[in-house]
Amino acid sequence: MKIAITGKGGSGKTTIAGALIRGLAEAGHTVVAVDADPNPNLGISIGLPRDSVETMEPILNALLASGHTHNDPTPDPDDLLARYGLGAPNGIVLIATGKIERPSDACLCCGSHNTTRQFFGSLPSDHRTVVADLEAGLNDLMWARPGPDDTVLVVAEPSAKSVEVARRACRLAESMGVQKILGIANRSNGPDDVARLAEILGVEVVPVVEDPAVERADHLGVAPFDTESGSPAMLAVAALVERLVKA
Ligand SMILES: Nc1ncnc2c1ncn2[C@@H]1O[C@H](COP(=O)(O)OP(=O)(O)OP(=O)(O)O)[C@@H](O)[C@H]1O
Ligand SMILES: [Mg+2]
């Protein structure tokens, strides 16, 4: 199973991805967590200490540092995972696709960048569950190339702009042949928010309520899955995990 999580900036993608990844791993899945944000911070949301996340070498940075160019063969995604993946709780392997540290003088549309952007799409998932926390907006969703068997979770807050990005993401995912698209009404204030979002997105929507426990964990730099597991938002993600596991 492969799951890509997309939505507008700040809509709650990483928070939800982190709890979902931990939940799937606790449910017995072998999970690869792909942090596709060039400002990676999924590690903290899955319960890793900041220092350990900082030791991770993202694929793009490693390839560029090794002098890899678009003339070189495309590296095998499993080989990249073995080299640059970081062990996380519950047997999860976390990998970051790239991190912006300085201006790049390399071509941005091929070679290493291409390898990086297409990592989610190219990683086989026959014996594991791959979950990608994508960069905000639609570009990363396009490059990640989810296919007909994959699941796309589209996260939206109640704001009109967040909902509009989510609507566009749903249409983009549909145009790529994705059949399992699920909306997440994050910070929702009740059934009206959920119904409104479902109508606009044209897909089924599940709620994750606005939850001070999530903010508390965020301020401490810890995973709400570890410190606030009984909170309403974490219970909503747990219900989502159960649903995905059954499916
Ligand atoms: N259900 C919720 N209740 C309360 N706060 C939340 C909830 N979901 C997310 N947040 C808070 O909203 C902020 C943004 O969340 P998060 O980083 O997960 O968003 P994101 O979509 O990954 O952002 P970015 O686009 O920058 O990657 C964080 O401070 C997080 O703690
Ligand atoms: Mg994020």
Side-chain angles (χ1 to χ4, degrees):
M1 163 162 71
K2 288 212 244 183
I3 303 168
I5 302 180
T6 188
K8 190 177 184 307
S11 58
K13 299 177 294 299
T14 303
T15 304
I16 291 168
L20 186 70
I21 287 163
R22 287 290 300 278
L24 286 168
E26 276 203 352
H29 287 228
T30 301
V31 185
V32 175
V34 181
D35 192 342
D37 194 324
N39 187 22
N41 53 24
L42 178 61
I44 291 168
S45 290
I46 63 175
L48 287 169
R50 203 185 119 73
D51 292 353
S52 121
V53 175
E54 285 299 305
T55 64
M56 201 170 36
E57 192 170 20
I59 303 170
L60 176 62
N61 304 57
L63 290 177
L64 293 178
S66 71
H68 184 271
T69 74
H70 60 271
N71 296 320
D72 295 318
T74 303
D76 173 61
D78 265 306
D79 188 41
L80 292 172
L81 190 63
R83 276 170 191 251
Y84 305 115
L86 178 72
N90 303 114
I92 295 160
V93 177
L94 171 67
I95 189 159
T97 54
K99 184 177 183 182
I100 294 179
E101 291 173 316
R102 61 187 68 84
S104 172
D105 51 9
C107 167
L108 290 176
C109 62
C110 57
S112 309
H113 286 85
N114 229 352
T115 301
T116 300
R117 283 167 161 164
Q118 293 173 13
F119 184 75
F120 171 81
S122 60
L123 193 66
S125 68
D126 25 349
H127 58 291
R128 61 193 164 200
T129 299
V130 180
V131 182
D133 176 25
L134 302 183
E135 186 180 5
L138 303 182
N139 197 31
D140 212 25
L141 177 61
M142 181 179 72
W143 283 100
R145 301 194 178 172
D149 296 333
D150 300 337
T151 297
V152 172
L153 301 181
V154 181
V155 184
E157 295 182 277
S159 84
K161 288 176 186 166
S162 193
V163 170
E164 178 55 13
V165 173
R167 191 191 65 76
R168 292 175 188 161
C170 287
R171 298 296 84 78
L172 175 60
E174 277 168 8
S175 76
M176 289 188 284
V178 177
Q179 299 188 358
K180 289 168 271 179
I181 305 172
L182 185 65
I184 299 181
N186 191 27
R187 296 170 175 275
S188 69
N189 291 309
D192 286 354
D193 274 352
V194 180
R196 177 176 153 263
L197 186 62
E199 192 184 344
I200 296 172
L201 300 191
V203 301
E204 192 189 344
V205 170
V206 296
V208 175
V209 292
E210 169 87 36
D211 188 346
V214 170
E215 284 171 22
R216 260 195 315 271
D218 206 29
H219 287 174
L220 296 170
V222 296
F225 186 90
D226 285 321
T227 59
E228 307 282 356
S229 60
S231 69
M234 290 299 104
L235 292 177
V237 180
L240 178 59
V241 168
E242 208 178 309
R243 178 197 171 118
L244 291 167
V245 167
K246 275 191 194 147

